[in-house]
Amino acid sequence: MSDTRNRVSAERALWEAEAQLAFAAETTALGLFEWDLVTGALTWSYGDEASLGLAPGSIVSFESWSQRVFPEDVSATQTLIANVAAQKLDKFTFRYRIRCDDGKARTIEGAARCIYDAGGTLVKTTGVNVDVTERVEREAALRDREAQLGAIMATMPSAMVVIDVDGAIHMFSAAAERLFGYAAADLLGQNLALLVPNSARESLSAKFAGYRAARASGDAGELFELVARCNGGAEIPVEFSIAEMIVAGEPRYTVFIRDLSERAAAEQAAADLRNELAQVGRGAAMGELAASLAHELNQPLSATANFLAATVLLVSRGGDRDKVAELVTLANDQIQRAGSIIRNIREFIVKRDVEIGIEPIEKTVRDAVSLVLVGSARVDVEVRYAFEQPGQFMLADRVQIQQVLVNLLRNAAEALQDQPKHRRTILIAVRGKPGDMIEISVSDTGAGIDARILETLFTPLSSTKGSEGMGLGLSICRRIIEAHGGTLSAENRSAGGATFRFTLPAGSFEMPDDDR
Ligand code: ADP
């Protein structure tokens, strides 16, 4: 009696479940099944086999089901059912892969209800089958793509960050982790501005806005240099390049970040090398210089000896004081000259780094003039200046530029020696040139450059001064100017005399008023 009652309520539950399932099936295209564990019969709702590409009647029992389903999924299902029955669960969910007639696998997911007999034995399950193959494939493809992207992000040599319109970080590549010293996980969701120092934030957001405006008008990506800030505060020069992409209808921005400190280091290495080469060049020039040195010094020293011998003679004869003073002055001039030759050579030999700085032009020029005029008191030279604008600066090694000026001025002064007094003028002019350069020219009113050496003027040993001239000055001058990125040239002026002009990068420098 009670057996019958149980049975009726079980059937009723089943009916209810079926009604629910039928509704579910209608709305979400599910298939229904019923599995009788006592007989082993398995019934699928009509059309389900066909929709999976199976011949109708392929699945009629647990046995025939097992033959189609992947073996590991069959045993997983068996274990699942055993657990469900042991725990007397009234429902469970499952998933399995089934091989269809075309050989393709499809993935089925579902949920089932359990029906137990009076003894508590699981006798029937009934439920829904859902074909989730497309979804599973989509998910797998997505996982593949994610894995691919992950691999790219991990192996890409350049630092890359993906941000959204607000600058929030969505991806942070392994190289970016290395460059900035942050873990990606700590930066996701944070703003890109975190990667630059406070002082650069405004410029970063301006560049970003500028890029978006340019994109809106169809322009290509943008590159800009910036200072970035690493975890811990170290600042490094970097180059940002931004590219836009659309992800799920939303704009995203890929920011590639290139570390420029390596470039800066390479530039420094190149500069060091240039320094070394200049050093070697000077050393080679020294060999040639040494040969001429004896002659160079011999001349002023023997002149000094002569002047002093004459002085001694004059004094022993009780000569005129003024005459004695004049001879001593002449001797002194010669000693000065010998001294300046030695000084000059020392400056070339002593290894010193090229120290490029923003240097005042006028002061450098005037210092050079006073250096030269000390040693050439005999030559009554008028020096005129034409500074295009006061307070101009150059980007140069001041000592080297002074060497160049001293050389040019000394040559000019020597060229003026043979001129009548009213024609002994040196004009030093400074003016700006296009490309942020300045030009310094030294003109004289001498006889001009000898046509025989005009061509070879800047090669070593070009001199018209016989044993007195070393003919090295101009070749070294040109090397110095070229090392600064400028040019040195010479020409004869139509009015007579020579002009030497050289260019240097201009130094822009805002001086505070009270320092001026
Ligand atoms: P050095 O002065 O030792 O001869 P430089 O290389 O300085 O060596 O000059 C080479 C030559 O160029 C000089 O010997 C001279 O003939 C010529 N020169 C240089 N400057 C002038 C000038 N301002 N006027 C005329 N000739 C010049």
Side-chain angles (χ1 to χ4, degrees):
M1 181 65 186
S2 92
D3 209 34
T4 315
R5 212 180 301 127
N6 273 344
R7 212 184 131 84
V8 167
S9 73
E11 301 240 304
R12 187 176 179 79
L14 186 59
W15 180 84
E16 276 172 7
E18 271 182 2
Q20 278 168 353
L21 291 174
F23 177 68
E26 244 170 62
T27 50
T28 52
L30 308 177
L32 307 178
F33 74 87
E34 187 182 295
W35 175 25
D36 188 329
L37 278 85
V38 181
T39 62
L42 177 62
T43 320
W44 276 16
S45 52
Y46 178 77
D48 287 355
E49 288 158 315
S51 70
L52 287 180
L54 291 168
S58 301
I59 295 187
V60 291
S61 61
F62 184 75
E63 173 89 68
S64 54
W65 177 86
S66 301
Q67 280 164 8
R68 299 277 181 175
V69 170
F70 284 40
E72 62 265 38
D73 292 352
V74 172
S75 51
T77 307
Q78 281 167 332
T79 314
L80 174 68
I81 298 294
N83 284 338
V84 165
Q87 294 173 56
K88 304 263 185 304
L89 298 179
D90 64 343
K91 48 187 181 217
F92 64 96
T93 60
F94 56 86
R95 176 190 182 124
Y96 60 86
R97 286 158 301 163
I98 189 163
R99 185 82 57 201
C100 304
D101 285 351
D102 61 3
K104 290 203 179 108
R106 300 204 69 88
T107 306
I108 310 292
E109 275 182 0
R113 284 218 155 164
C114 306
I115 294 156
Y116 297 88
D117 67 9
T121 306
L122 180 62
V123 291
K124 195 182 272 189
T125 71
T126 174
V128 292
N129 279 327
V130 189
D131 181 356
V132 294
T133 312
E134 267 77 45
R135 195 194 79 206
V136 167
E137 280 171 358
R138 264 202 315 277
E139 282 170 359
L142 204 62
R143 263 200 311 281
D144 275 1
R145 272 217 298 282
E146 252 168 31
Q148 234 169 47
L149 193 63
I152 292 171
M153 295 287 281
T155 53
M156 189 169 48
S158 53
M160 190 192 93
V161 181
V162 175
I163 56 171
D164 61 21
V165 181
D166 302 321
I169 295 173
H170 288 250
M171 279 186 191
F172 201 71
S173 76
E177 289 182 319
R178 285 193 295 277
L179 179 61
F180 289 101
Y182 285 109
D186 294 336
L187 283 193
L188 297 183
Q190 303 266 27
N191 200 282
L192 185 68
L194 199 79
L195 300 180
V196 301
N198 285 339
S199 56
R201 287 195 180 159
E202 219 161 276
S203 133
L204 175 65
S205 54
K207 299 272 191 204
F208 188 39
Y211 168 74
R212 284 174 48 206
R215 276 295 298 171
S217 60
D219 283 358
E222 170 150 354
L223 273 185
F224 50 88
E225 289 185 14
L226 208 76
V227 174
R229 186 180 170 283
C230 302
N231 193 4
E235 295 185 2
I236 47 168
V238 292
E239 180 189 78
F240 274 45
S241 61
I242 303 187
E244 189 189 53
M245 55 185 176
I246 302 292
V247 177
E250 293 281 320
R252 288 272 192 280
Y253 302 90
T254 315
V255 184
F256 285 97
I257 301 165
R258 198 156 68 92
D259 181 2
L260 295 183
S261 44
E262 276 168 31
R263 190 178 81 184
E267 277 168 5
Q268 183 59 47
D272 287 350
L273 189 65
R274 269 203 302 280
N275 244 346
E276 285 296 314
L277 286 177
Q279 191 61 36
V280 172
R282 277 202 291 272
M286 282 316 300
E288 301 160 48
L289 204 62
S292 316
L293 190 58
H295 275 103
E296 272 285 308
L297 287 177
N298 204 27
Q299 216 263 343
L301 288 180
S302 52
T304 308
N306 284 343
F307 288 134
L308 290 180
T311 312
V312 170
L313 200 67
L314 201 63
V315 170
S316 69
R317 286 185 190 160
D320 171 18
R321 275 178 75 101
D322 287 352
K323 193 78 193 150
V324 169
E326 192 189 326
L327 279 172
V328 171
T329 306
L330 286 172
N332 186 44
D333 283 355
Q334 292 301 317
I335 288 173
Q336 294 275 4
R337 197 178 147 202
S340 80
I341 290 168
I342 290 169
R343 242 194 335 273
N344 217 357
I345 285 165
R346 249 217 331 255
E347 277 173 9
F348 280 123
I349 299 174
V350 170
K351 179 177 163 74
R352 61 180 281 280
D353 285 342
V354 177
E355 284 169 18
I356 304 282
I358 297 174
E359 303 287 356
I361 297 174
E362 184 167 344
K363 183 171 189 319
T364 310
V365 167
R366 288 189 189 273
D367 283 355
V369 168
S370 48
L371 268 174
V372 172
L373 292 189
V374 167
S376 57
R378 283 161 303 155
V379 189
D380 204 352
V381 176
E382 183 199 4
V383 180
R384 283 199 222 145
Y385 300 94
F387 294 104
E388 187 183 54
Q389 66 184 68
Q392 272 179 309
F393 290 85
M394 61 186 175
L395 198 59
D397 182 314
R398 191 176 47 80
V399 174
Q400 288 197 345
I401 299 309
Q402 229 154 40
Q403 279 172 3
V404 172
L405 282 165
V406 163
N407 246 297
L408 298 183
L409 290 168
R410 189 170 290 153
N411 280 344
E414 282 171 5
L416 291 174
Q417 274 186 56
D418 306 331
Q419 298 294 315
K421 269 204 160 142
H422 69 276
R423 269 195 61 90
R424 290 180 193 166
T425 307
I426 297 177
L427 172 70
I428 304 172
V430 178
R431 59 187 183 137
K433 294 286 274 183
D436 237 359
M437 301 291 279
I438 48 121
E439 181 194 82
I440 302 177
S441 61
V442 177
S443 307
D444 62 64
T445 51
I449 304 156
D450 195 314
R452 285 171 301 159
I453 65 157
L454 200 49
E455 292 287 297
T456 56
L457 199 56
F458 296 100
T459 48
L461 303 178
S462 276
S463 175
T464 50
K465 295 174 193 164
S467 62
E468 244 190 56
M470 290 182 284
L472 280 171
L474 288 174
S475 71
I476 292 175
C477 289
R478 176 170 269 186
R479 251 188 289 174
I480 290 175
I481 296 301
E482 286 174 353
H484 280 78
T487 53
L488 169 62
S489 62
E491 73 212 35
N492 279 326
R493 303 186 317 138
S494 51
T499 296
F500 286 80
R501 46 181 98 242
F502 59 93
T503 56
L504 289 172
S508 40
F509 186 59
E510 288 299 318
M511 281 258 269
D513 280 345
D514 44 332
D515 278 13
R516 223 176 270 259

